[in-house]
Amino acid sequence: MEYKNIIIKIEDSIAFLIISRPKALNALNSDVLSELECALYDLENNNDVKCIIITGDGDKAFVAGADIKEMLGMDAIAAAAFAKKGHRIIRFIRKMQKPVIAAVNGYALGGGFELALACDIIYASENAKLGFPEVTLGIMPGFGGTQNLVRVCGEKVANELIFTGKMISAVRAKELNVVCEVLKDKDSLMEKALETAKKIAFNSPKGVAFAKNAILTGVNMNLSEALDYESTLFGLLFNTEDQKEGMSAFVEKRKAEFKGK
């Protein structure tokens, strides 16, 4: 598929998904969402890709939010459909076997913040600003923000950020455990994201996928159920070629060559 609003680059098993509407600060409209959905599906099913980095084109914004000009003319039915389209993408990222890293440069507001929260790891540049300004527009977060933020930093902090609509700095986001690390500028940000992606790509795709599954599924279980689930996945990995290759390579003191099988 030929994309008009996103750029896909694949280098050494790492896919870069760049949202590219710089004149609109990479805002998400229906066309962007459709392209994102297709691109993520293709990358998930591309055996040559082991990790995905999502970022925004330019230095000003990761994604400045959903496209307000498009939303202005929506009625209740159209708005709900728009939200559900966003939810499909958020759910898909969460369920992908491949890890997804958000490299947040500049503004990550509304739908942009929600997109970042869906990713497995978030890095941010010092100029990043994150927040949910929806209430200042007469609406509320609609791409999972009310549910995913509270699971990251707790009800009270989520309430404050969502009810006030204020933006926070990358440093404050790190203090709240939203961001893993704050980098000086976009070049440093992308270097860090790529460094982490390469480390992930070196490891067993099966091991990484099962670990992601255990974390995301287990967090919604009680501890006893989550531990049972973890042990089941742990055991299933011993039926994979990756497990045999990884342990054999360790014993034989050589580099493992994982095939994701």
Side-chain angles (χ1 to χ4, degrees):
M1 178 177 177
E2 185 176 341
Y3 300 113
K4 295 181 179 179
N5 300 290
I6 63 176
I7 300 167
I8 303 292
K9 299 178 181 178
I10 300 175
E11 301 173 2
D12 299 326
S13 300
I14 312 301
F16 296 84
L17 195 166
I18 304 163
I19 300 168
S20 184
R21 292 185 73 211
K23 292 182 180 179
L25 296 179
N26 304 322
L28 302 174
N29 61 17
S30 295
D31 290 340
V32 177
L33 292 178
S34 293
E35 291 186 16
L36 272 175
E37 197 166 14
C38 289
L40 288 166
Y41 180 84
D42 287 344
L43 293 173
E44 173 74 341
N45 290 283
N46 186 336
N47 292 331
D48 294 328
V49 172
K50 295 184 178 179
C51 189
I52 300 162
I53 297 171
I54 298 179
T55 194
D57 196 0
D59 297 320
K60 293 182 178 179
F62 172 72
V63 170
D67 194 318
I68 296 171
K69 290 182 179 179
E70 181 180 19
M71 290 191 294
L72 181 61
M74 292 180 179
D75 59 16
I77 294 174
F82 186 64
K84 288 178 180 177
K85 193 170 188 177
H87 286 162
R88 283 202 309 271
I89 293 169
I90 299 304
R91 288 193 184 100
F92 189 78
I93 293 172
R94 301 285 283 178
K95 292 180 178 180
M96 291 177 76
Q97 293 192 37
K98 297 170 185 179
V100 183
I101 299 171
V104 176
N105 49 300
Y107 293 109
L109 305 176
F113 193 7
E114 288 165 315
L115 179 62
L117 284 170
C119 297
D120 302 296
I121 297 169
I122 305 177
Y123 296 124
S125 57
E126 287 183 353
N127 73 327
K129 298 290 184 182
L130 305 94
F132 288 120
E134 284 87 345
V135 294
T136 70
L137 301 170
I139 56 173
M140 57 176 269
F143 287 2
T146 62
Q147 304 308 307
N148 289 327
L149 185 63
V150 70
R151 286 164 166 78
V152 173
C153 53
E155 179 184 349
K156 304 307 179 189
V157 171
N159 287 347
E160 181 194 23
L161 293 181
I162 293 171
F163 296 171
T164 63
K166 71 178 183 179
M167 291 186 291
I168 58 172
S169 68
V171 172
R172 179 57 177 154
K174 186 176 186 302
E175 292 172 350
L176 296 173
N177 295 322
V178 172
V179 167
C180 297
E181 190 169 336
V182 179
L183 290 306
K184 182 178 180 181
D185 52 30
K186 188 173 182 181
D187 287 343
S188 302
L189 171 67
M190 297 310 295
E191 286 175 9
K192 179 64 181 179
L194 182 57
E195 176 190 348
T196 299
K198 286 181 176 178
K199 288 180 179 178
I200 292 170
F202 176 80
N203 296 323
S204 157
K206 283 291 185 184
V208 171
F210 277 44
K212 176 174 176 174
N213 186 335
I215 293 166
L216 293 176
T217 303
V219 75
N220 293 314
M221 297 176 171
N222 64 48
L223 181 57
S224 178
E225 291 172 338
L227 290 172
D228 286 341
Y229 188 65
E230 179 191 71
S231 64
T232 298
L233 294 181
F234 178 79
L236 288 173
L237 282 168
F238 281 74
N239 288 330
T240 67
E241 292 181 18
D242 274 7
Q243 177 266 333
K244 303 294 187 292
E245 169 62 14
M247 292 191 174
S248 294
F250 178 85
V251 171
E252 296 165 10
K253 297 181 180 180
R254 61 175 174 83
K255 180 181 177 180
E257 295 183 6
F258 294 115
K259 296 180 180 179
K261 298 181 179 180

